[in-house]
Amino acid sequence: MVINVCSVHFQYDPYTYPNDYDLHTGDPKADLAYERQYEQQTYHVIPEVIKNFLQYFHKTISDLIDQKVYELQSNRVSSESIEQKIYEIQDVYENSWNKLTDRFFKNSPWPEAEAIASLVGNGECIGGPTLDQRFESYYNYCNLFNYILNADGPAPLELPNQWLWDIIDEFIYQFQSFSQYRCKTAKKSEEEIEFLRNNPKIWNVHSVLNVLHSLVDKSNINRQLEVYTSGGDPESVAGEYGRHSLYKMLGYFSLVGLLRLHSLLGDYYQAIKVLENIELNKKSMYSRVPECQITTYYYVGFAYLMMRRYQDAIRVFANILLYIQRTRNMFQRSTYKYEMINKQNEQMHGLLAIALTMYPMRIDESIHTQLREKYGDKMLRMQKGDLQVFEEQFSFACPKFLSPVVPNYDNVHPNYHKEPFQQQLKVFAEEVQQQAQLSTIRSFLKLYTTMPVAKLAGFLDMTEQEFRIQLLVFKHKMKNLVWTSGISALDGEFQSASEVDFYIDKDMIHIADTKVARRYGDFFIRQIHKFEELNRTLKKMPASTTTAAAVTTTARAV
């Protein structure tokens, strides 16, 4: 996230100043313009604690840059001094910033860049957008990425991974926000529309794609990941820029950004393809930043769902929901990140409910319990083929789709901004309707081992021919491409995890229950292995540390 220090609307009552009363004309537009100007002129009372914070923050970053320049010039690797500065910046960014925002700026933005420039030596400030500064925001990002990408050598800058992720995440969010804003023309003035018409390249999709691909190429991250997954040393192929943490992590996060962007544009195959060198089923770089990990799994799971790879979608959603369940206490409840993770958690529960309705299979018991509590009633209605519930769940849980093209401002209907969503909803609804009868057929098949086709068709109020067609649909829809091994998430082989299977011999249907009984032995074997690994770790520890660990374990047990 690029820190927003470029806008403030300070609340005050202009009529409490007798000398200024005559400057209010009664014209709302003129008065509003005056009040904004007045606010900018009079915002000089910045709390002392905010001044100290900004000066400390600026000094810490300046010292870090100076140290980085020195090390680059002397061809030295990162020192403990740099690591300490990065830690300090991360603490300020994740903790102090949020606490001060809650205390002083809960209902208003931080001060204008001009208002604080003198506090930080009149240095250049990079700001985020407000509604009136969307264009300036675009240029801010252009300046930032040009600085990183077009420098003669690696930029002398080190930032915490969390901050680097937020920069990419916020960059795509602002593109997404502007794309939707641009398409909502109903309440815009002629002047605004003309301004947008004359500037079609601002927040253009090609510009955003170009930035993300440039960061990927500059960092050589795909080649690094390829070597890393094959057991080699990624540093050997990193190149001049890729061996620096700034470029490596921005390149990595840009891959996740491309996953998100292609999903928003409805290109699910390309969305997953950009991650072809990332092995999702192993701990990797994205796990260093929880928000990145959650975002990755959300968009991969959604892409799988839309590609009708339900088994993979269920696996992805179940894994990340289990992760959130176990790590939720790590996040500060007062931050926007906690709210974002909560929202994505709810959305993924909704998508998992859809996937399990369309492709029933066994999942982790704790996740299944949560799902029954949250969506038990809705899942029952979806199993009965209630299309409205499917659409409601999809509308809540899907990302906010975008159109990659600039609208024709001369002929834009009021709901133009909803067209990308309506198109994706239509595709999803058609798939649901094709499977409308499968849940009922599945429930009947579970009751019998053999049955005349004509008789079972009669139970379902279908002709024999219609029933045979639906049985073929059942066979087709229950066979999915499923990831089994390999690095690319697009790899897989066709499998069926349906709880029932059948074949037709002349006029008889023969049914087999393929539901596998739960195996408890595997669970106990895994726990034994974990316990043995813990024992080996304890034996390697110094005696004093081992004793302390044992005391702690005993205390917890008591």
Side-chain angles (χ1 to χ4, degrees):
M1 181 181 68
V2 176
I3 301 174
N4 182 0
V5 292
C6 290
S7 174
V8 65
H9 295 287
F10 190 66
Q11 298 297 318
Y12 74 102
D13 183 359
Y15 298 101
T16 59
Y17 298 89
N19 295 334
D20 295 328
Y21 183 83
D22 56 338
L23 296 175
H24 284 261
T25 63
D27 178 355
K29 288 186 178 179
D31 289 348
L32 182 60
Y34 164 74
E35 288 172 15
R36 284 179 175 168
Q37 182 183 5
Y38 190 94
E39 290 165 9
Q40 291 176 3
Q41 290 173 349
T42 58
Y43 196 99
H44 60 274
V45 185
I46 298 176
E48 196 65 30
V49 66
I50 298 297
K51 290 181 182 179
N52 294 337
F53 167 76
L54 292 171
Q55 288 168 341
Y56 169 75
F57 198 20
H58 179 261
K59 184 179 184 304
T60 305
I61 293 178
S62 297
D63 290 348
L64 175 63
I65 292 174
D66 292 342
Q67 180 70 19
K68 187 69 178 177
V69 168
Y70 167 72
E71 295 196 356
L72 285 172
Q73 290 173 346
S74 57
N75 289 322
R76 292 175 59 188
V77 295
S78 291
S79 64
E80 290 183 8
S81 173
I82 281 189
E83 294 297 324
Q84 178 61 29
K85 290 292 180 188
I86 292 174
Y87 176 79
E88 289 176 19
I89 291 171
Q90 183 163 355
D91 182 58
V92 169
Y93 180 66
E94 294 187 6
N95 299 311
S96 307
W97 174 270
N98 291 318
K99 289 175 182 175
L100 291 173
T101 299
D102 283 345
R103 182 179 170 188
F104 294 99
F105 304 107
K106 196 166 188 177
N107 299 313
S108 64
W110 278 64
E112 289 274 356
E114 292 77 7
I116 66 165
S118 61
L119 300 175
V120 293
N122 291 301
E124 183 179 352
C125 298
I126 299 173
T130 66
L131 191 61
D132 300 326
Q133 296 176 323
R134 293 177 186 269
F135 280 34
E136 286 82 354
S137 169
Y138 175 74
Y139 292 124
N140 284 337
Y141 274 111
C142 287
N143 291 335
L144 172 65
F145 291 125
N146 282 335
Y147 167 69
I148 292 171
L149 292 168
N150 298 330
D152 293 333
L157 188 62
E158 291 280 349
L159 292 174
N161 290 336
Q162 178 68 58
W163 197 345
L164 295 175
W165 161 251
D166 285 343
I167 288 173
I168 298 297
D169 184 53
E170 185 74 8
F171 177 58
I172 296 172
Y173 169 76
Q174 289 194 29
F175 163 70
Q176 179 182 0
S177 176
F178 183 82
S179 297
Q180 291 167 339
Y181 163 80
R182 181 173 56 193
C183 294
K184 296 176 182 178
T185 57
K187 296 181 180 180
K188 286 183 174 58
S189 65
E190 285 296 325
E191 186 180 355
E192 283 180 292
I193 291 175
E194 187 63 26
F195 197 53
L196 289 169
R197 184 187 286 115
N198 294 334
N199 294 276
K201 292 186 178 180
I202 301 296
W203 285 116
N204 182 281
V205 66
H206 296 109
S207 303
V208 177
L209 285 168
N210 181 51
V211 165
L212 297 174
H213 280 292
S214 296
L215 288 168
V216 169
D217 293 341
K218 198 78 168 179
S219 63
N220 213 10
I221 189 65
N222 274 320
R223 184 72 182 120
Q224 288 195 63
L225 289 167
E226 196 177 329
V227 171
Y228 174 74
T229 51
S230 62
D233 178 15
E235 290 285 320
S236 63
V237 295
E240 180 186 7
Y241 292 85
R243 63 171 55 96
H244 292 276
S245 177
L246 174 76
Y247 290 90
K248 181 169 71 174
M249 296 313 297
L250 279 176
Y252 188 92
F253 293 144
S254 292
L255 289 176
V256 179
L258 286 166
L259 159 72
R260 177 179 172 184
L261 186 55
H262 286 301
S263 296
L264 295 175
L265 298 173
D267 188 350
Y268 305 112
Y269 179 87
Q270 188 62 31
I272 294 181
K273 186 172 175 58
V274 297
L275 302 184
E276 62 184 350
N277 291 310
I278 297 177
E279 200 162 356
L280 291 174
N281 303 285
K282 284 188 177 179
K283 196 171 184 179
S284 188
M285 293 182 196
Y286 61 79
S287 58
R288 299 179 188 177
V289 179
E291 293 91 328
C292 176
Q293 185 168 5
I294 292 166
T295 298
T296 302
Y297 273 68
Y298 169 76
Y299 284 102
V300 167
F302 185 80
Y304 273 145
L305 181 69
M306 295 301 284
M307 293 170 72
R308 209 171 61 77
R309 293 180 62 164
Y310 300 119
Q311 199 168 331
D312 284 331
I314 291 166
R315 171 179 53 82
V316 166
F317 287 136
N319 284 345
I320 196 62
L321 288 172
L322 201 58
Y323 167 81
I324 294 172
Q325 188 183 91
R326 291 171 177 172
T327 60
R328 183 171 289 186
N329 291 335
M330 289 168 48
F331 306 105
Q332 296 182 37
R333 294 179 179 270
S334 59
T335 64
Y336 76 94
K337 292 174 188 174
Y338 183 81
E339 294 171 5
M340 182 276 288
I341 288 170
N342 258 352
K343 182 180 179 182
Q344 282 197 321
N345 182 56
E346 292 299 316
Q347 286 177 310
M348 287 189 286
H349 272 101
L351 293 171
L352 182 59
I354 290 172
L356 282 172
T357 301
M358 301 180 80
Y359 197 92
M361 60 180 284
R362 188 182 298 282
I363 62 170
D364 183 88
E365 191 61 38
S366 61
I367 300 298
H368 196 231
T369 301
Q370 278 188 349
L371 207 58
R372 282 200 306 267
E373 291 172 358
K374 291 175 182 287
Y375 296 107
D377 180 55
K378 289 185 177 180
M379 288 181 75
L380 285 174
R381 290 171 64 188
M382 286 192 286
Q383 286 167 7
K384 294 176 183 177
D386 191 331
L387 184 60
Q388 183 181 348
V389 179
F390 272 108
E391 291 183 346
E392 286 174 0
Q393 286 293 100
F394 183 84
S395 302
F396 164 72
C398 71
K400 294 181 179 178
F401 300 106
L402 304 174
S403 170
V405 297
V406 176
N408 177 6
Y409 294 106
D410 297 323
N411 184 26
V412 182
H413 58 80
N415 292 323
Y416 178 78
H417 62 285
K418 295 181 180 178
E419 280 191 1
F421 163 72
Q422 295 293 349
Q423 181 62 35
Q424 298 300 318
L425 180 62
K426 181 183 176 184
V427 172
F428 172 74
E430 286 176 355
E431 180 65 27
V432 170
Q433 287 171 332
Q434 288 175 18
Q435 301 192 34
Q437 298 291 333
L438 300 194
S439 180
T440 307
I441 291 173
R442 184 185 296 108
S443 62
F444 272 93
L445 291 176
K446 287 180 179 179
L447 299 175
Y448 305 99
T449 54
T450 55
M451 171 74 71
V453 173
K455 188 172 183 180
L456 199 50
F459 289 158
L460 295 164
D461 296 324
M462 296 180 186
T463 65
E464 188 174 336
Q465 182 61 24
E466 288 173 339
F467 182 56
R468 285 177 181 269
I469 291 171
Q470 288 299 321
L471 288 175
L472 287 173
V473 171
F474 186 97
K475 280 280 190 183
H476 169 62
K477 297 296 185 185
M478 290 300 105
K479 191 172 280 288
N480 286 187
L481 189 64
V482 180
W483 180 89
T484 52
S485 62
I487 298 169
S488 175
L490 287 171
D491 292 341
E493 57 186 48
F494 282 99
Q495 292 182 0
S496 175
S498 174
E499 294 179 350
V500 292
D501 197 9
F502 63 88
Y503 68 93
I504 298 173
D505 183 17
K506 296 180 182 179
D507 293 330
M508 293 293 290
I509 181 169
H510 299 265
I511 304 142
D513 187 351
T514 60
K515 188 175 181 180
V516 179
R518 187 177 299 182
R519 294 183 296 180
Y520 295 100
D522 289 347
F523 172 80
F524 285 109
I525 289 170
R526 283 198 303 272
Q527 300 308 312
I528 289 168
H529 285 319
K530 286 182 181 178
F531 185 71
E532 287 176 345
E533 183 65 31
L534 182 62
N535 265 338
R536 282 194 292 271
T537 305
L538 287 171
K539 285 175 183 177
K540 292 176 184 177
M541 294 169 66
S544 57
T545 312
T546 308
T547 305
V551 170
T552 305
T553 307
T554 307
R556 284 177 182 169
V558 174

